[in-house]
Amino acid sequence: MPVGRFITFEGIDGAGKSSHIEAAAEALRAQGRSVCCTREPGGTALAEALRELFLSREMDALTEALLVFAARRDHLRCVIEPALAQGQVVLCDRFTDATMAYQGFGRGFDLNVLAQLEAWVQAGRQPDRTLWFDVPATVAAARRAAARAPDRLEREDLAFFDRVRAGYAARAEAAPQRFVTIDATASMDAVRTRVLATLHDLGP
């Protein structure tokens, strides 16, 4: 049986990461791999219900963190861990790096508390590879405005997204063996080429 691989796609809202997940899945399936595409918050019926609350209701940073970690626990238990055990490649739109970047750096919430929640909920589970779609907050904001009506988090100001971007940079610096930084200001084709190039050395 192939060894399961856990790959996450990260970046501030408007970075364009979600646009490349299906192309990555198609490339992996062409290599003969079984692929599970999922997202956070979400991925299960319970987690999707929590996502709806998270994106639509006003709440403080601790409540945000508790909701996303509750959703993550159900997601891990019901989707991610079973798929990895079956040898699948799991492509996940966001994971804990997003929580550290958004709630930790964006909101200024205690990173030590988030790290403790991470340890409790994940029991050591981390992505095998994280693709960070890096883009300035101004560029991401222009893309969001052209694409959709904003949700609760997307209505935050540029300073908030600058802090979130700094949070991602700090996570990438702390785990260089896991992170692949992708210049998301490049053309769609250039970004896709870079994404697909990261998938050729996942192993059997």
Side-chain angles (χ1 to χ4, degrees):
M1 179 184 295
V3 176
R5 292 289 186 267
F6 184 25
I7 303 172
T8 54
F9 290 64
E10 295 282 1
I12 63 176
D13 294 276
K17 59 183 172 47
S18 303
S19 304
H20 298 281
I21 293 177
E22 188 53 43
E26 290 176 4
L28 287 165
R29 289 177 182 128
Q31 297 173 21
R33 299 302 297 260
S34 177
V35 180
C36 170
C37 294
T38 189
R39 68 177 183 175
E40 289 212 346
T44 70
L46 173 59
E48 291 290 340
L50 294 175
R51 177 190 180 90
E52 177 62 27
L53 292 172
F54 176 79
L55 292 177
S56 62
R57 303 292 184 90
E58 293 300 324
M59 61 189 74
D60 67 3
L62 175 56
T63 306
E64 285 184 356
L66 292 171
L67 278 180
V68 295
F69 274 113
R72 183 164 298 133
R73 178 62 184 171
D74 196 58
H75 193 205
L76 280 163
R77 185 177 64 86
C78 298
V79 175
I80 295 173
E81 295 295 353
L84 293 174
Q86 293 168 10
Q88 296 186 51
V89 178
V90 177
L91 304 182
C92 191
D93 188 343
R94 301 197 189 282
F95 195 62
T96 306
D97 294 305
T99 310
M100 297 299 185
Y102 275 79
Q103 280 69 53
F105 283 78
R107 299 290 192 216
F109 189 68
D110 191 329
L111 291 171
N112 291 323
V113 174
L114 294 178
Q116 185 63 67
L117 289 169
E118 179 182 27
W120 287 343
V121 167
Q122 294 168 218
R125 172 62 68 191
Q126 291 292 342
D128 297 298
R129 186 165 302 166
T130 296
L131 280 58
W132 173 35
F133 292 74
D134 184 32
V135 66
T138 51
V139 174
R143 290 178 178 177
R144 292 194 306 272
R148 58 184 179 267
D151 61 35
R152 184 175 67 86
L153 261 65
E154 291 174 342
R155 289 194 292 269
E156 294 290 343
D157 60 19
L158 288 177
F160 173 83
F161 285 104
D162 281 334
R163 294 192 299 272
V164 173
R165 185 188 185 196
Y168 276 122
R171 295 285 283 185
E173 183 178 1
Q177 75 287 352
R178 173 166 67 85
F179 270 79
V180 176
T181 301
I182 295 174
D183 178 6
T185 65
S187 69
M188 175 74 79
D189 287 344
V191 172
R192 183 148 301 173
T193 298
R194 175 78 167 123
V195 169
L196 297 182
T198 71
L199 305 177
H200 289 298
D201 61 343
L202 293 181

